[in-house]
Amino acid sequence: MEEDEIKKIQKSIDEIFNIKSGLAKKRPTVKAKKRELFNDILTGLAHINGRSLGLKHDYKIDFIEYDDIFFNVIEALMTLYFNKEQKSIIEWYLYDKFLPTGEMLVLNDAETGEEIPTDTPDDVWELVLKYEKKDNK
């Protein structure tokens, strides 16, 4: 919503109720913040991994070993937060989904055979939430 529209709404409220009102943006929920952070992290990790693979393929510069320590630390942190199934989904997205040929692998539901959306970090977030357990182990 544009600022002019917001001011018009606020002015209407002021006139209707004969008060001086104020409008504020709705604060994001904890769930929304976690979703956004997860999306940023997954996007960044996918970019770092792709960059390393691209440098190795295109210029024969191997940053994969250099980046390994960072990925190991990040994976250890993921182990603290996510259960095995969730971590497997995230690792599949980061390391296996995108093939060097530019093609992408898909996940299919074992029972229905339908494709499970995994094109974006947001899709992965939704899938990860389905495997959430209370004990988080």
Side-chain angles (χ1 to χ4, degrees):
M1 197 178 283
E2 291 187 31
E3 196 170 320
D4 288 341
E5 292 174 1
I6 294 171
K7 286 182 181 181
K8 286 179 185 177
I9 292 170
Q10 185 174 357
K11 184 178 177 185
S12 296
I13 291 171
D14 291 351
E15 290 172 0
I16 292 170
F17 294 108
N18 197 24
I19 60 170
K20 180 73 175 159
S21 66
L23 296 176
K25 285 185 176 180
K26 184 179 176 182
R27 291 184 181 181
T29 63
V30 171
K31 186 177 178 179
K33 287 180 184 179
K34 284 183 177 182
R35 173 187 225 119
E36 184 178 350
L37 185 58
F38 178 87
N39 289 343
D40 290 346
I41 290 168
L42 211 59
T43 299
L45 290 173
H47 176 77
I48 292 166
N49 192 43
R51 179 191 61 191
S52 294
L53 292 173
L55 284 171
K56 184 176 182 180
H57 180 267
D58 295 345
Y59 302 105
K60 308 298 183 236
I61 299 172
D62 189 356
F63 270 92
I64 294 172
E65 192 172 316
Y66 175 80
D67 287 342
D68 251 3
I69 188 73
F70 299 109
F71 278 99
N72 290 339
V73 169
I74 292 165
E75 285 182 29
L77 289 170
M78 285 194 311
T79 301
L80 286 174
Y81 189 78
F82 297 107
N83 62 45
K84 275 197 243 182
E85 292 86 3
Q86 292 172 312
K87 190 174 173 220
S88 291
I89 293 165
I90 295 166
E91 289 173 342
W92 174 83
Y93 179 82
L94 289 172
Y95 308 125
D96 299 324
K97 178 174 178 62
F98 304 98
L99 301 175
T101 61
E103 295 174 295
M104 292 188 292
L105 297 176
V106 296
L107 288 179
N108 292 313
D109 186 298
E111 293 175 8
T112 64
E114 292 181 25
E115 183 177 330
I116 301 169
T118 57
D119 292 335
T120 66
D122 208 48
D123 292 337
V124 176
W125 174 252
E126 289 297 323
L127 187 56
V128 163
L129 288 180
K130 288 180 183 177
Y131 288 93
E132 193 170 41
K133 294 180 182 172
K134 289 183 183 180
D135 65 0
N136 208 24
K137 300 285 181 205

